[in-house]
C-alpha cells in the first residue's frame, strides 16, 4: 500500500512540484533526523523545534494583515483540525522556537519540570506533524486543499549585499573557473 501511495504523491514534489510542500517535507525530515542522531533528548532540541516551526511556515505563510500563527491556525482548521489540536500539537513548535534558545541566545536555566514539558512536547510532535503531512498530501491529491502559491523572488536584497561583500573578502573562487 505504501509504494503505490508514494508513486501517487511523488509528482507533488518532484521536478518543479509544489515548492512549499517540498520545503516542508525537507524541514520535517531534518527534525526527524536530528532527533534520531542526538545522543540525548536535549542535544538537538532547539534545532528540532526550529525545523518543525519551519515546516509550518513553509506550508502556511503569513499573508498581508495576518500573522504567521494566525495563518497556521486558519489552514490547519481548513484541514480538519480542531482548535485544541492546533494549539496543543502544532503552535507550540512556533512558540517554543520564539521563547527558548532556538533562534536567539538565552542563558536561562529551565527547571526539571519545564524541561520535561519541552521534551515531552518535542517527543510527541513528530507523530502529529507526520499525520499533518499525510493529511495534507491526501487532501492535495484529492483536490480538496491547495497551498498558497510560491513565487520565487530571488534572494533578499540584504542577502545579496552580504554575499557580495563576503565574496569580495574571500577573493577569487576555484569554482568560478
Amino acid at each position: 500500500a505504501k509504494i503505490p501511495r508514494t508513486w501517487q504523491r511523488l509528482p507533488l514534489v518532484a521536478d518543479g512540484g509544489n515548492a512549499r510542500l517540498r520545503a516542508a517535507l525537507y524541514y520535517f525530515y531534518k527534525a526527524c533526523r536530528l532527533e534520531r542522531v542526538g545522543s540525548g533528548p536535549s542535544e538537538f532540541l532547539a534545532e528540532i523545534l526550529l525545523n518543525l516551526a519551519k515546516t509550518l511556515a513553509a506550508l502556511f505563510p503569513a499573508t498581508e494583515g495576518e500573522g504567521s500563527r494566525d495563518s497556521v491556525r486558519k489552514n490547519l482548521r481548513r484541514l480538519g483540525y480542531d482548535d485544541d489540536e492546533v494549539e496543543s500539537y502544532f503552535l507550540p513548535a512556533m512558540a517554543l522556537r520564539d521563547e527558548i534558545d532556538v533562534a536567539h541566545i538565552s542563558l536561562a536555566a529551565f527547571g526539571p519540570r519545564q524541561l520535561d514539558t519541552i521534551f515531552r512536547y518535542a517527543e510527541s510532535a513528530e507523530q502529529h506533524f507526520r499525520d499533518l503531512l499525510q493529511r495534507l498530501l491526501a487532501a492535495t491529491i484529492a483536490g480538496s486543499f491547495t497551498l498558497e502559491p510560491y513565487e520565487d523572488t530571488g534572494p533578499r536584497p540584504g542577502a545579496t549585499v552580504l554575499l557580495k561583500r563576503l565574496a569580495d573578502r574571500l577573493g577569487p573562487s576555484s569554482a568560478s573557473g
Side-chain angles (χ1 to χ4, degrees), residues 93-156:
M94 298 176 86
L96 288 168
R97 175 208 52 204
D98 293 345
E99 299 299 333
I100 66 171
D101 182 16
V102 174
H104 307 287
I105 186 170
S106 173
L107 302 178
F110 293 99
R113 290 185 71 193
Q114 294 168 319
L115 288 172
D116 179 63
T117 300
I118 297 168
F119 295 148
R120 285 188 303 124
Y121 170 75
E123 186 176 299
S124 69
E126 180 181 329
Q127 187 56 52
H128 297 294
F129 275 74
R130 185 177 309 282
D131 292 343
L132 161 63
L133 291 166
Q134 289 174 349
R135 186 182 293 195
L136 179 62
L137 286 164
T140 301
I141 288 169
S144 62
F145 193 90
T146 304
L147 291 169
E148 187 80 25
Y150 173 74
E151 184 179 322
D152 186 1
T153 58
R156 295 179 189 146

Side-chain angles (χ1 to χ4, degrees), residues 5 7 9 24-26 61 78 81 95-96 115-116 138 150:
R5 188 172 59 225
W7 280 111
R9 293 175 175 176
L25 290 167
Y26 171 73
R78 286 181 49 218
Y81 288 98
L96 288 168
L115 288 172
D116 179 63
Y150 173 74

Side-chain angles (χ1 to χ4, degrees), residues 12 14 24 28 53 55-56 64 68 71 97 128 141 169:
L12 295 175
F28 178 69
T55 299
L56 295 172
E64 192 78 28
S68 58
S71 179
R97 175 208 52 204
H128 297 294
I141 288 169
R169 289 178 193 264

